[in-house]
Amino acid sequence: MTARAALGRLGVAAAQLLALSVLVFTATEALPGDAAEAVLGEDYTPQQAAEIRARMGLDEPPTIRFLQWWQDLLTGDLGTSLISGRPVTDLVARSLPPTLILAAATVALLVPLAAALGLAAGAGEGGRLDRAVTTATLVLYSIPDFALAMLLVLGLSLQVRLLPATAMGADGWRLLTDPLLLVLPVAVLLCRVAALLVRQVRAGTADAMRSEYAAHARRLGVGRRRLLLRHVAPNALAPASEELARVGDNLFSGVLVVEVVFAVPGVAGGVVDAVAMRDVPVVQGYVFVLGAVTIALNQAAELVSRRLVPRIEQVRR
């Protein structure tokens, strides 16, 4: 991996951020109604609505508001809530820790679990472990997140009373000091994304084990363990690292669903409340931050895959 390639990925990320900002602003402009109507309720006069819009700056042309928003973004300012008057940065910072804790706990378990199961199943293609892993991942991937969440809550919380059913009112610190609150949300997130990633690693491992270079290594007397860890794993994990970025996209969307199901006070609640109140700067702030994190994950995965298998970089030149 060269510095030129890294700078190239940064340029791609910057272009994606610009496209994302245009998309976010256009989408929020298309929302029905506005914050003035949400504040005034159902009984108001056109003059009252015009006064509120002028006070909130909503009477400015969209182009002016977009340029002002971008100018603020460049200084790290996500704007001010039209409803509460609080900086959007503070609102995002307050609700982001529970979301990041959920995502980080899931990824911390996901990567070693997917690598271990995928490598073991692919190395023993057609064996009992391979068939068991393939069947389990197929079943888990076919169950929607919300359905799995309901099954786990019904079984482990309401019937057995082993784990809490919700994390209502728990902030980031409470989630860290009471890990039982994380068990069910993380289990729901982990099952579906792990099933996808395990199958990716398993397929890459099986292909690599059947390759000519693996057969040549066996003829030279390279042991099975060394062959798997030193030669097969990098080739199997490189495409899996790219898949991890796509799984990361699904993971963030899954986190939002899980937060709603388990009442975790994270980003999902903030977005839902902001949309309900037509608080456009807050919606834009949340969506832009989530999009920026997703872009960063994709670009990091691209650099990791090039690092694992340098020939990918050579082929793409």
Side-chain angles (χ1 to χ4, degrees), residues 136-155:
T137 54
L138 182 62
V139 171
L140 289 175
Y141 188 70
S142 63
I143 304 176
D145 289 341
F146 70 91
L148 181 60
M150 292 298 103
L151 289 174
L152 291 178
V153 168
L154 181 63

Side-chain angles (χ1 to χ4, degrees), residues 130-199:
D130 182 31
R131 292 197 298 272
V133 170
T134 300
T135 302
T137 54
L138 182 62
V139 171
L140 289 175
Y141 188 70
S142 63
I143 304 176
D145 289 341
F146 70 91
L148 181 60
M150 292 298 103
L151 289 174
L152 291 178
V153 168
L154 181 63
L156 298 179
S157 297
L158 300 183
Q159 294 295 330
V160 183
R161 299 184 183 280
L162 185 64
L163 296 167
T166 71
M168 184 176 294
D171 56 9
W173 178 250
R174 173 83 185 284
L175 292 177
L176 290 175
T177 56
D178 191 358
L180 288 180
L181 295 173
L182 288 173
V183 174
L184 288 184
V186 170
V188 172
L189 289 170
L190 187 63
C191 285
R192 191 171 171 82
V193 293
L196 183 62
L197 202 59
V198 167
R199 293 169 68 85

Side-chain angles (χ1 to χ4, degrees), residues 34-243:
D34 57 21
E37 295 178 3
V39 170
L40 292 170
E42 297 181 355
D43 187 15
Y44 62 89
T45 65
Q47 183 180 359
Q48 290 175 316
E51 291 175 355
I52 294 290
R53 289 192 181 99
R55 196 168 62 199
M56 293 179 172
L58 299 177
D59 56 342
E60 296 285 351
T63 305
I64 300 297
R65 284 187 280 120
F66 176 74
L67 293 176
Q68 181 62 50
W69 183 54
W70 242 107
Q71 184 179 349
D72 293 339
L73 282 179
L74 292 176
T75 62
D77 182 5
L78 295 175
T80 303
S81 168
L82 298 177
I83 305 302
S84 66
R86 296 182 58 188
V88 176
T89 306
D90 289 353
L91 297 175
V92 174
R94 188 186 63 178
S95 58
L96 203 54
T99 301
L100 292 179
I101 289 171
L102 271 179
T106 303
V107 172
L109 295 173
L110 170 66
V111 173
L113 181 66
L117 287 179
L119 288 172
E125 184 181 14
R128 290 183 179 178
L129 178 62
D130 182 31
R131 292 197 298 272
V133 170
T134 300
T135 302
T137 54
L138 182 62
V139 171
L140 289 175
Y141 188 70
S142 63
I143 304 176
D145 289 341
F146 70 91
L148 181 60
M150 292 298 103
L151 289 174
L152 291 178
V153 168
L154 181 63
L156 298 179
S157 297
L158 300 183
Q159 294 295 330
V160 183
R161 299 184 183 280
L162 185 64
L163 296 167
T166 71
M168 184 176 294
D171 56 9
W173 178 250
R174 173 83 185 284
L175 292 177
L176 290 175
T177 56
D178 191 358
L180 288 180
L181 295 173
L182 288 173
V183 174
L184 288 184
V186 170
V188 172
L189 289 170
L190 187 63
C191 285
R192 191 171 171 82
V193 293
L196 183 62
L197 202 59
V198 167
R199 293 169 68 85
Q200 176 75 40
V201 177
R202 181 257 173 209
T205 304
D207 288 342
M209 292 294 285
R210 293 193 298 267
S211 66
E212 182 59 31
Y213 75 85
H216 185 65
R218 292 192 195 93
R219 287 195 291 270
L220 293 176
V222 177
R224 181 179 176 82
R225 183 175 180 180
R226 184 179 179 187
L227 171 65
L228 181 63
L229 297 180
R230 295 283 301 274
H231 303 285
V232 170
N235 289 283
L237 294 178
S241 65
E242 293 183 320
E243 186 64 29

